[in-house]
Amino acid sequence: MPTHVQPAFRSSAVAREGLTQAEAARRLAADGSNELPQDAHHGLWSTVWHTLTEPMFGLLLAAGALYVVLGDLGEAVLLLFAVFVVLTITVVQERRTERVLGALRDMTSPRALVVRDGIQVRIPGRDVAQGDLLLLAEGDRVPADAVVLAGGAVECDESLLTGEAVPVRKRPHADAATPAFPPPGGDDTPYLYSGTVLVRGQAVAEVRRTGWHTELGRLGAALGVIRPERTPLQREIATLVRVVATLGLALCAVIVSLIGIVRGDWLGGLLAGITAAMALIPEEFPVVLTVFLALGAWRISQHRVLTRRVAVIEALGAATVLCVDKTGTLTENRMRIARLVAGSGDTFDVAGIETLPEDFHELLEFGILASAINPFDPMEQAFRALGEDLLAGTEHLHTTWTLVQEYAIAPAMLAMTHVWQASGKREHVVAAKGAPEAILDLCHAEAATVEAVRAQVNVLAADGLRVIAVARGRHAGTVWPAEQHDFNYAFLGLVGLEDPLRAEVPAAVRECHAAGIRVAMITGDYPGTACAIARAAGLAHDGAFLTGDDIAALDDAALTARIATTQIFARAMPAQKLRLVQAWIAAGEVVAMTGDGVNDAPALRAAHIGIAMGARGTDVAREAASLVLANDDFASIVRAVRMGRRIFDNLRKATSYIIAVHIPIAAVSLAPLIGGWPLLLFPVHVVFLELVIDPACSLVFEDEADETDLMQRPPRARSERLVDRATLLRSLLQGGVASCAVIAVYAFALDAYATDVARTLGFTTLLVANLALIVLNRSRRRRWFGNFVAPNRALRVVIAGAGLLYAATLAVPGVRELFLFAAPPPAALLGAVVAGLGAVVPLGLVRRRA
């Protein structure tokens, strides 16, 4: 939400309203967006041309040219129409993928806090205009070249431009006529450069150069671009494509040679070879991988997790350790009062109550009086929130009183005191709160009281509560003591505050445990608080923990051994996260690590899955991470892991189907040559099948829901192949059975009917078997009937579309002739359908549960 400029930024040097929105828009129109050229964007015609140069379309055009040479213009026109249809589907699919990646790129691009019309607004970095006032804090990446107008102890990392890792100091320069920018580097200059990072302090700076005009632009660097990465899956798919393509081309050469030599029909052999090549070239593999990863990143973003590097989706399903911060990830990052302990020793749990017993009214009342009138501190906000909820309408809220004196907390006295002028009274009311030992000191408590209070403090601390003590006093006159100690106080009691656990965390932790994923909590908080939160979250631990000092004292081998049995890391420094990540990796784990600060960046980059906090994280952390957690919620991480497993599952199903469905196509291309039969498939038939195969791969399987045991399995090994031995054997079996059915029907039909009728029946069996293979591969854990009835809208569309299109092909005489079909007897057509189903369905009925 936009907020007014904070007073801290209202120095004389920057007491200005910033640009107006209209002026910013004019400057952006004149200077262009504040961004450097990204990877070449594929426009519509570029996408069309790229698609037309793929081997499949080259083969289609070659087949059309052959039909023209043979004088069959009808077949040529039909193939050209097929080229248009398949081209349209491919282009729409690629454009959709580009839009998804573009949207993800926009969501994860750096943002800037600027002043517009006197209001703080956070805008995309590309919308920063010359003249904007930037409000920069530690960890922010500078979005444009700017001049520091105000700030204290500002240091900047300019290594991106200079290669020098030592940060340089910056000093304010209020002169509007700042000289031209010198080269980066050097201390005590006011110049900030685009792409560099504030590593210390806060600054207000005025933008002077944007986009190509910045120092970074002049160097020709390009930042913030999501670039394609060759992942293990991509390398495996590339290898698979090469192997299958090589076998397919070899088979094509055999077909052309056999028909040319044996039958003397070289043109027919070339046409048959092109048909076989169209059937066997595995162009679906890379398309499916691209679509699954891109749409998978989009689906993950629906759970408020943004994917900066698509390659991380592979690792999500293999994660074995989730290392998370306590504050803001497991907890809500806010304070609330959980328990009150009166001076008498009586205890009251606040959660879920509607009325507060009278014995605790004064404790809460004076806790509010000892807090700021408009509190910013989370603990003081908790006092005021509970008071407004439980003391509303009572005499314990004093909105008309006047604060006349205050004593701030100091290292020597960890307590603060407020002196109030009560309405209509001459005597002043004194309220104090602070660390229990400090308040007891102010109250001059006796030794027995001190011991009793310490015991109560230990009980509260053991439950993970932060403890504040409260006292009251009276003061006559207007001569104020020099220090808090000179007031007379009475001890009122203790207040236990907590950063509440997020409600969804225990269920998410249980889901991780069921999935074989260890959850480790890393926090800078005290061990007692950390262990209390761990118990509430359901983290499996026996009270064992390591502190930051323990980690520092262990060598790498000892640390690797200790983390095997430790899940709680307390009083840990951000820099120690890197050692923990390296230790887990050395132990063979696949590590996901969360972080938000500048010092977290090395650990985020070293982890297999670096997860930056989007709400409270720095730009440096976000850029080092693979994922950005928009809502800083642990449950969102678990949902992303679930989605990662689902994506890999569905990708394996699609791959299994692709292999299986190409086997009968290859078989019926080769069988007629061996049996001396007329050819069953021609290019137009392969195009028809591609209209089923492509949507099935990219729509049906990508949209497939989670398996019921998705989060009850252990994580897959990161070395596990997409096409493992079991998947390959399953696909070969499915494709082999379907091949036998199609060849058997075609052979039988050739003996009983004319060639065109036999071709119709053989193709019907092939089409039905194809659709049955889609259903069969939807799940390896459901029976076939369960696969058929389980919801999947894309499946219904593909089956209905294929059925209606094929029915129209058989029903329209002109189209039927172009496909070299003839109307078969109804009983024979039904038999072909039954044969296609009968070959595949039993595989699903008798399938052993994986």
Side-chain angles (χ1 to χ4, degrees):
M1 291 289 292
T3 57
H4 288 281
V5 180
Q6 299 173 12
F9 292 126
R10 284 291 194 178
S11 69
S12 59
V14 292
R16 59 183 76 177
E17 300 296 306
L19 295 179
T20 64
Q21 292 288 1
E23 177 62 21
R26 284 195 296 272
R27 295 192 180 189
L28 284 171
D31 300 337
S33 297
N34 178 41
E35 57 185 348
L36 302 181
Q38 301 179 357
D39 285 347
H41 176 70
H42 297 294
L44 175 61
W45 294 113
S46 174
T47 303
V48 170
W49 174 251
H50 176 74
T51 304
L52 284 174
T53 56
E54 291 182 357
M56 171 62 74
F57 290 94
L59 292 170
L60 278 171
L61 293 174
L66 276 176
Y67 277 121
V68 171
V69 171
L70 294 172
D72 195 339
L73 295 181
E75 289 282 356
V77 170
L78 184 59
L79 281 182
L80 291 176
F81 176 73
V83 168
F84 174 77
V85 172
V86 176
L87 177 66
T88 301
I89 293 173
T90 305
V91 168
V92 168
Q93 184 170 272
E94 288 201 9
R95 299 290 288 176
R96 180 187 179 193
T97 301
E98 275 206 7
R99 283 196 299 271
V100 168
L101 289 176
L104 290 170
R105 188 159 44 233
D106 290 342
M107 286 190 287
T108 57
S109 65
R111 301 178 70 79
L113 185 62
V114 302
V115 178
R116 296 269 176 92
D117 296 317
I119 303 295
Q120 289 185 33
V121 290
R122 193 168 291 279
I123 62 174
R126 65 174 176 273
D127 292 340
V128 170
Q130 184 179 354
D132 264 326
L133 283 184
L134 300 173
L135 306 184
L136 300 166
E138 179 179 319
D140 287 347
R141 187 170 292 279
V142 180
D145 286 2
V147 174
V148 177
L149 303 182
V154 178
E155 293 186 4
C156 195
D157 177 0
E158 296 182 347
S159 58
L160 177 70
L161 300 174
T162 65
E164 178 56 56
V166 178
V168 294
R169 295 188 304 272
K170 300 295 178 181
R171 61 174 176 81
H173 191 299
D175 184 2
T178 307
F181 278 68
D187 288 319
D188 298 321
T189 71
Y191 305 103
L192 299 176
Y193 297 91
S194 177
T196 61
V197 179
L198 252 70
V199 295
R200 185 181 179 194
Q202 293 183 332
V204 179
E206 181 177 333
V207 175
R208 297 294 176 85
R209 306 189 301 195
T210 61
W212 265 111
H213 304 290
T214 64
E215 189 71 21
L216 189 60
R218 292 177 180 179
L219 293 175
L223 299 178
V225 179
I226 299 177
R227 299 181 184 277
E229 305 175 45
R230 285 189 65 82
T231 68
L233 269 181
Q234 288 172 325
R235 290 193 291 270
E236 183 180 351
I237 289 293
T239 301
L240 185 63
V241 167
R242 284 195 299 271
V243 170
V244 176
T246 300
L247 292 175
L249 291 176
L251 181 61
C252 295
V254 170
I255 291 174
V256 172
S257 301
L258 283 176
I259 294 179
I261 296 173
V262 176
R263 302 184 183 181
D265 185 3
W266 288 100
L267 277 179
L270 187 58
L271 189 61
I274 290 174
T275 303
M278 290 171 57
L280 295 176
I281 288 181
E283 82 284 351
E284 296 93 353
F285 285 123
V287 172
V288 164
L289 181 61
T290 301
V291 169
F292 271 53
L293 293 182
L295 293 185
W298 175 80
R299 288 185 185 279
I300 290 174
S301 74
Q302 304 309 295
H303 296 293
R304 308 299 303 278
V305 181
L306 309 180
T307 305
R308 296 194 73 253
R309 298 179 180 88
V310 175
V312 77
I313 293 174
E314 294 181 33
L316 276 172
T320 59
V321 176
L322 293 185
C323 310
V324 296
D325 294 311
K326 175 183 74 68
T327 303
T329 305
L330 295 177
T331 64
E332 296 179 11
N333 197 24
R334 67 177 180 88
M335 299 303 294
R336 75 178 180 193
I337 294 175
R339 193 176 305 167
L340 300 173
V341 180
S344 62
D346 293 338
T347 300
F348 186 75
D349 288 327
V350 175
I353 57 102
E354 297 182 359
T355 58
L356 185 66
E358 185 65 33
D359 292 346
F360 299 92
H361 281 199
E362 195 174 34
L363 174 59
L364 182 56
E365 172 190 4
F366 276 81
I368 296 171
L369 289 174
S371 302
I373 297 174
N374 295 305
F376 178 76
D377 181 84
M379 288 189 287
E380 294 188 342
Q381 290 176 342
F383 274 98
R384 185 161 294 278
L386 187 63
E388 291 174 351
D389 188 28
L390 299 180
L391 297 181
T394 71
E395 73 278 10
H396 297 286
L397 291 181
H398 309 286
T399 58
T400 60
W401 288 12
T402 304
L403 179 64
V404 294
Q405 180 68 4
E406 55 184 314
Y407 297 82
I409 195 168
M413 176 53 66
L414 299 178
M416 61 188 300
T417 295
H418 285 179
V419 182
W420 295 85
Q421 176 66 62
S423 301
K425 295 183 180 180
R426 299 183 62 182
E427 190 177 42
H428 295 92
V429 176
V430 181
K433 70 173 174 35
E437 59 272 17
I439 295 298
L440 289 170
D441 184 26
L442 291 177
C443 295
H444 306 290
E446 297 179 354
T449 302
V450 171
E451 288 303 317
V453 171
R454 282 178 178 170
Q456 293 166 341
V457 169
N458 290 337
V459 171
L460 295 174
D463 290 336
L465 302 180
R466 296 188 178 186
V467 185
I468 298 292
V470 180
R472 64 171 172 80
R474 302 284 176 180
H475 182 74
T478 57
V479 179
W480 312 116
E483 57 183 22
Q484 301 178 64
H485 242 298
D486 295 333
F487 289 108
N488 291 320
Y489 294 97
F491 182 75
L492 292 179
L494 302 172
V495 178
L497 298 102
E498 66 177 355
D499 181 2
L501 190 73
R502 291 180 182 267
E504 61 273 18
V505 164
V509 169
R510 288 194 299 273
E511 190 172 14
C512 285
H513 290 162
I517 301 171
R518 291 178 55 204
V519 180
M521 182 176 71
I522 304 174
T523 178
D525 219 329
Y526 291 95
T529 303
C531 290
I533 290 294
R535 286 193 299 271
L539 294 182
H541 76 106
D542 55 3
F545 59 84
L546 286 177
T547 66
D549 291 340
D550 295 332
I551 295 171
L554 295 171
D555 61 25
D556 291 344
L559 180 60
T560 300
R562 288 291 299 276
I563 62 172
T565 57
T566 306
Q567 291 180 261
I568 310 301
F569 302 88
R571 304 302 289 169
M573 301 297 291
Q576 291 175 322
K577 286 185 175 182
L578 177 59
R579 281 201 69 201
L580 291 171
V581 169
Q582 291 170 335
W584 271 305
I585 291 175
E589 306 285 1
V590 177
V591 184
M593 168 68 76
T594 66
D596 55 10
V598 175
N599 291 336
D600 290 333
L604 293 174
R605 196 172 293 279
H608 298 104
I609 307 163
I611 306 171
M613 301 297 103
R616 67 180 193 276
T618 61
D619 285 345
V620 176
R622 285 191 287 269
E623 292 185 14
S626 303
L627 300 175
V628 177
L629 200 60
N631 57 358
D632 296 1
D633 185 358
F634 173 74
S636 295
I637 302 176
V638 180
R639 287 191 286 267
V641 171
R642 170 184 281 273
M643 187 59 64
R645 290 189 174 195
R646 167 184 163 173
I647 291 167
F648 189 86
D649 258 16
N650 290 346
L651 189 56
R652 174 170 279 173
K653 295 170 188 176
T655 304
S656 179
Y657 162 74
I658 293 171
I659 295 172
V661 80
H662 279 81
I663 292 173
I665 296 176
V668 298
S669 297
L670 192 59
L673 302 180
I674 298 174
W677 307 328
L679 294 177
L680 171 57
L681 294 182
F682 289 92
V684 67
H685 304 120
V686 176
V687 170
F688 189 101
L689 292 173
E690 289 295 329
L691 293 178
V692 176
I693 295 172
D694 285 347
C697 296
S698 58
L699 297 178
V700 175
F701 291 107
E702 195 283 326
D703 196 40
E704 193 60 41
D706 302 355
E707 297 281 5
T708 55
D709 67 340
L710 186 68
M711 293 297 280
Q712 278 78 52
R713 313 176 207 156
R716 64 177 175 84
R718 201 169 186 224
S719 59
E720 183 178 337
R721 299 176 65 86
L722 180 66
V723 184
D724 57 9
R725 181 183 178 87
T727 300
L728 182 60
L729 291 176
R730 186 180 295 109
S731 298
L732 292 175
L733 175 62
Q734 294 173 4
V737 171
S739 299
C740 292
V742 175
I743 293 172
V745 168
Y746 187 48
F748 173 79
L750 283 173
D751 287 339
Y753 306 104
T755 298
D756 288 352
V757 173
R759 181 176 293 111
T760 305
L761 295 175
F763 187 82
T764 300
T765 305
L766 179 58
L767 178 62
V768 171
N770 186 337
L771 297 175
L773 286 172
I774 298 174
V775 176
L776 179 64
N777 282 283
R778 287 184 62 195
S779 173
R780 298 180 181 178
R781 284 158 176 79
R782 292 191 299 259
R783 300 289 183 177
W784 192 89
F785 183 74
N787 280 351
F788 186 79
V789 300
N792 187 315
R793 185 172 59 180
L795 175 67
R796 307 284 188 268
V797 171
V798 168
I799 291 178
L804 291 174
L805 185 61
Y806 190 54
T809 301
L810 294 181
V812 178
V815 177
R816 188 171 62 231
E817 292 171 3
L818 289 175
F819 275 81
L820 303 178
F821 288 159
L829 186 62
L830 178 61
V833 172
V834 170
L837 289 173
V840 176
V841 170
L843 295 175
L845 295 176
V846 302
R847 179 173 51 201
R848 177 178 62 85
R849 293 181 66 85

